[in-house]
Amino acid sequence: MPHLRLAPPVPTRPGVLLPRRDLAFGWGLLMLIAAPAWLLTAAQSRDMGAGPGTMGPALPLFLLLWVVMMAAMMLPSLAPVALTWAQAIRRGTSGPVQVLRTAGFVGGYLLAWTGFGLLAYEALAATGHVVDDHPGAGRWIGAGAFLLAGLQQFGPLKRVCLRHCRNPMSQLLRRARFRGQANDLRAGAHHGLYCVGCCWGLMIVLIPLGFMNVAAMAGLAVVIFLEKLWRGGPWLSRAVGVVCLVLAVLAPFQDWLLPGLRMSGPSMDGM
């Protein structure tokens, strides 16, 4: 009897061996969380407006707003990974327990971004103090933020972390075999740290564009989604890096590129 060889399953997305129907279900489920997060973010941005720094919230409220923002921006691109985790742990696990464990994975992912939020708060607060004392410095802070974001898009940390985010399967399956009550949280945080390493450069452009700039957040969310899930994601990453470097050159001379660093009142040119 001839030996039959079964062809391996074809990934529907980079590094994720899941049927399209399951992916659609996962995206739909996480969008139920992301959509209210977008609505809350948009409502808060109308109340806070635009300006330099943290625009008033103390650290606890800032972190709450930051987690809501990260849920809005990141959960759509996390859906295939979270669903892969759910598939990896389903053996011997009942439906409700599987949902709770997957929620723990997503919670660990957001915990990693909360840690980055602490750094973001300090950076925004320092920026606000500098711009309050020296309004003309805002244009150079903006240029520096765009420059750093552009350079990060071409750096080795970006390549390593983006490679993991596009192909997390092997590490997820390995971690799914671990035991312990906090394993799901640790696995989510582990993946979240790679995501932070991949996307921190894109996040710092919110310093010149505005911490609560919903249009900028939506644009970044689309870029992050395509970088991780689109076949041409690595090329898009480099193209975005070039755009950031161009903006770094233009920023000192174009105040409209710096809505998050403008003081209310006279323009930077008049300072």
Side-chain angles (χ1 to χ4, degrees):
M1 185 174 180
H3 178 67
L4 297 178
R5 298 184 62 187
L6 297 178
V10 179
T12 57
R13 290 294 185 271
V16 182
L17 302 175
L18 294 173
R20 292 182 184 275
R21 184 178 62 181
D22 288 350
L23 285 174
F25 174 78
W27 269 314
L29 192 60
L30 287 185
M31 284 304 296
L32 290 177
I33 303 172
W38 275 112
L39 292 176
L40 288 172
T41 301
Q44 190 63 36
S45 69
R46 286 196 298 269
D47 295 337
M48 294 176 65
T54 62
M55 293 181 288
L59 179 59
L61 179 56
F62 175 91
L63 288 179
L64 178 60
L65 293 173
W66 180 263
V67 171
V68 172
M69 286 171 52
M70 292 304 101
M73 296 176 65
M74 298 297 180
L75 290 188
S77 62
L78 179 66
V81 181
L83 195 58
T84 301
W85 179 255
Q87 297 280 3
I89 63 174
R90 71 179 177 178
R91 179 177 298 177
T93 303
S94 64
V97 173
Q98 187 178 356
V99 170
L100 288 175
R101 291 191 61 183
T102 304
F105 179 87
V106 175
Y109 177 85
L110 291 176
L111 184 63
W113 276 108
T114 302
F116 182 76
L118 293 171
L119 300 177
Y121 179 84
E122 294 299 327
L124 286 166
T127 298
H129 292 316
V130 171
V131 175
D132 284 344
D133 295 336
H134 308 284
R139 65 184 69 218
W140 302 109
I141 294 174
F146 285 126
L147 177 63
L148 190 56
L151 293 177
Q152 197 264 345
Q153 290 295 103
F154 294 99
L157 180 63
K158 176 75 177 190
R159 288 196 300 272
V160 171
C161 293
L162 182 58
R163 189 182 306 122
H164 168 86
C165 290
R166 289 174 60 82
N167 297 278
M169 179 69 79
S170 60
Q171 294 202 35
L172 288 180
L173 292 178
R174 185 167 64 251
R175 287 187 167 270
R177 293 194 294 267
F178 293 168
R179 295 291 180 265
Q181 293 183 341
N183 185 45
D184 305 294
L185 194 71
R186 287 197 302 267
H190 178 265
H191 180 69
L193 288 174
Y194 273 101
C195 189
V196 171
C198 177
C199 302
W200 69 266
L202 294 173
M203 290 300 167
I204 66 170
V205 304
L206 292 176
I207 293 176
L209 296 180
F211 160 54
M212 295 298 293
N213 187 329
V214 176
M217 285 188 282
L220 291 176
V222 171
V223 169
I224 290 167
F225 183 89
L226 293 176
E227 275 190 346
K228 293 180 179 180
L229 300 176
W230 181 41
R231 193 178 301 275
W235 291 102
L236 175 65
S237 178
R238 298 182 185 95
V240 171
V242 171
V243 170
C244 288
L245 294 177
V246 171
L247 293 178
V249 174
L250 296 177
F253 314 104
Q254 303 291 331
D255 285 357
W256 64 271
L257 290 174
L258 309 171
L261 293 171
R262 284 203 301 264
M263 301 293 295
S264 59
S267 69
M268 291 181 188
D269 290 331
M271 298 296 177

